[in-house]
């Protein structure tokens, strides 16, 4: 949940039961820095299987390859 809460930057055309889910963020202090985090209301609306897929996609985008580590 934390990966999605702090890593998701938005979505479009996300519907549940034919109702559009609006993307909302809150400002939170993390280690003294103010950052945007997906609201708990939005996180609760996203099905668990979608949270898992989103977290895998976000985590994958934030990994550094062995080639880049050498540089």
């Amino acid at each position: 949940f934390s990966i999605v809460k702090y890593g998701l930057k938005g979505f479009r055309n996300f519907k549940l039961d034919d109702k559009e889910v609006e993307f909302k963020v809150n400002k939170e202090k993390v280690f003294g820095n103010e950052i945007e985090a997906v609201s708990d209301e939005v996180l609760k609306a996203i099905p668990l299987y979608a949270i898992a897929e989103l977290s895998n996609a976000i985590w994958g985008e934030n990994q550094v390859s062995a080639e880049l580590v050498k540089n």
Side-chain angles (χ1 to χ4, degrees):
F1 286 100
S2 294
I3 292 171
V4 174
K5 183 171 185 153
Y6 298 111
L8 187 64
K9 299 303 177 198
F11 53 71
R12 288 180 283 172
N13 301 321
F14 182 56
K15 294 184 180 186
L16 290 173
D17 300 324
D18 294 328
K19 188 176 178 186
E20 182 116 12
V21 176
E22 182 184 345
F23 185 76
K24 296 177 188 173
V25 294
N26 298 322
K27 299 277 187 182
E28 292 187 12
K29 283 233 179 213
V30 177
F31 299 113
N33 296 311
E34 190 172 273
I35 62 171
E36 289 186 346
V38 177
S39 73
D40 289 340
E41 176 187 346
V42 173
L43 279 177
K44 288 177 186 175
I46 302 173
L48 189 55
Y49 73 89
I51 293 280
E53 287 183 29
L54 286 168
S55 65
N56 283 332
I58 293 166
W59 186 257
E61 289 293 320
N62 286 300
Q63 296 303 305
V64 177
S65 69
E67 182 72 22
L68 288 175
V69 168
K70 287 192 285 185
N71 294 331

